[in-house]
Amino acid sequence: MKLVYYPNNILLQKCNEVNVNDVDIEKLFSQMFDIMMNNNGIGLAAPQVGLDYRLFVMKDKIYVNPEIYEMSNEYELTEEGCLSFPNLWMNVKRAKEIVVGYTNAKNKKREDKLFGMNARCFQHELDHLDGVCFNQRVSRVVFEMAKKKQRKNRVR
């Protein structure tokens, strides 16, 4: 299992639901968590490691078949990065608070209310499961400016 980079096709496809009885969730979590941590990430979605599963890890938790039930009407424009776009940073508009549902590693349905960075990260990772990358959440001009800055920083 290794990190997949944009524009790999798997990052642009909607992932399939996971039957937790068909997959070793603990093993997936362990491998994905290690990749996330080794790359200084706070979240990592299955398609980012080449898997067609609706699941992601975030901090120290795995979210299987996640969904958003509610989003606040308040939004925040804050800088985001993505492990599939190394050293690329852009301001992305996201809901400040969300109510989410998912299945955990023990195959139990859960519901949480997330705020701030946790809400932002959940939305970012869920986008990956729907074949949406964060460059699709900004204008073409913003994306091009970020790539230019990325190239400039790479030269240093």
Side-chain angles (χ1 to χ4, degrees):
M1 186 181 293
K2 63 182 182 181
L3 208 46
V4 169
Y5 300 99
Y6 179 84
N8 188 301
N9 282 337
I10 196 160
L11 296 173
L12 307 173
Q13 300 171 11
K14 185 169 179 153
C15 295
N16 288 305
E17 293 240 338
V18 178
N19 180 333
V20 291
N21 298 316
D22 295 341
V23 214
D24 185 342
I25 297 293
E26 293 292 338
K27 183 178 178 183
L28 272 178
F29 171 74
S30 176
Q31 291 175 323
M32 289 176 65
F33 182 81
D34 287 348
I35 290 169
M36 177 184 73
M37 295 307 291
N38 290 337
N39 288 278
N40 299 314
I42 60 169
L44 182 67
Q48 291 182 277
V49 290
L51 301 173
D52 181 13
Y53 295 145
R54 289 193 72 75
L55 65 82
F56 61 79
V57 295
M58 189 173 97
K59 297 190 177 176
D60 60 353
K61 216 174 189 180
I62 191 162
Y63 295 81
V64 180
N65 300 322
E67 53 189 318
I68 296 176
Y69 297 145
E70 295 175 37
M71 298 175 92
S72 69
N73 290 327
E74 286 187 67
Y75 291 85
E76 198 169 51
L77 187 66
T78 303
E79 190 173 68
E80 282 185 22
C82 180
L83 296 178
S84 293
F85 292 75
N87 304 309
L88 187 77
W89 300 91
M90 296 180 289
N91 286 322
V92 180
K93 184 179 173 184
R94 303 270 187 198
K96 282 179 134 180
E97 297 177 15
I98 55 176
V99 176
V100 303
Y102 60 96
T103 301
N104 69 10
K106 295 182 181 357
N107 199 16
K108 302 283 184 210
K109 294 272 189 201
R110 294 284 180 227
E111 189 173 301
D112 289 335
K113 188 169 190 174
L114 302 176
F115 308 86
M117 186 55 73
N118 289 333
R120 173 170 293 282
C121 186
F122 190 100
Q123 292 169 79
H124 178 108
E125 301 309 332
L126 186 62
D127 273 354
H128 276 301
L129 306 185
D130 291 328
V132 176
C133 293
F134 79 138
N135 64 311
Q136 295 168 271
R137 295 278 181 205
V138 299
S139 71
R140 182 182 300 265
V141 171
V142 168
F143 183 45
E144 292 304 321
M145 286 173 48
K147 287 194 306 186
K148 187 175 180 180
K149 187 174 181 181
Q150 176 193 42
R151 285 190 296 273
K152 183 179 173 187
N153 288 337
R154 202 178 305 148
V155 173
R156 289 183 186 177

